[in-house]
Amino acid sequence: MEQAVYKGLGRRKTSVAKVILTPGTGKITVNGVSPKEYFPNALVIQDMEQPLDITNTKSSYDIQVKVSGGGFNGQAGAIRLGISRALVSANAEFKSSLKKKKMMTRDSRVKERKKYGKYGARRSPQFTKR
């Protein structure tokens, strides 16, 4: 008998995370290593695991993640959305509780591009009167 596999794709800033959820013991791997080895601090890992805490499924699924692009915070946000989407595909009853905690919405905030004649996205050169 083939094991059930649930997939979810998450994006945040310039990060893209592909999440594969399989029924198991709660083992999480990010790009082939454990989250403690991959991420620099525990707050980022805690942010990444929020959907599992909300649905009380931390020890029910094994999670494999391939993430690329961006920094650690963006990657954790992308993984969080991917886990949420995979959990909803596994069990549709999780959608309402995840949606209440805003885990199902993609955070579309990205860095604004630099414009010509400016020092950044909006910062103008200093004005000299005389």
Side-chain angles (χ1 to χ4, degrees), residues 53-109:
D53 295 332
I54 292 167
T55 56
N56 294 322
T57 54
K58 205 165 198 169
S59 59
S60 307
Y61 295 102
D62 287 338
I63 301 170
Q64 276 188 306
V65 180
K66 283 187 181 176
V67 66
S68 63
F72 292 119
N73 285 313
Q75 287 184 349
I79 292 169
R80 184 175 72 181
L81 180 61
I83 289 173
S84 299
R85 287 179 173 173
L87 282 170
V88 168
S89 67
N91 188 350
E93 294 171 12
F94 292 147
K95 188 168 186 173
S96 61
S97 60
L98 288 169
K99 202 163 184 152
K100 280 179 194 168
K101 301 281 186 175
K102 296 189 170 78
M103 297 287 140
M104 294 299 296
T105 54
R106 189 226 194 270
D107 193 350
S108 60
R109 295 176 294 170

Side-chain angles (χ1 to χ4, degrees), residues 16-86:
V16 179
K18 295 172 186 169
V19 178
I20 298 170
L21 221 72
T22 52
T25 58
K27 186 177 175 228
I28 301 173
T29 56
V30 180
N31 288 351
V33 295
S34 72
K36 285 181 180 152
E37 292 173 44
Y38 188 78
F39 289 114
N41 59 14
L43 280 174
V44 179
I45 297 168
Q46 190 178 6
D47 180 43
M48 177 191 82
E49 293 175 342
Q50 273 183 324
L52 299 170
D53 295 332
I54 292 167
T55 56
N56 294 322
T57 54
K58 205 165 198 169
S59 59
S60 307
Y61 295 102
D62 287 338
I63 301 170
Q64 276 188 306
V65 180
K66 283 187 181 176
V67 66
S68 63
F72 292 119
N73 285 313
Q75 287 184 349
I79 292 169
R80 184 175 72 181
L81 180 61
I83 289 173
S84 299
R85 287 179 173 173

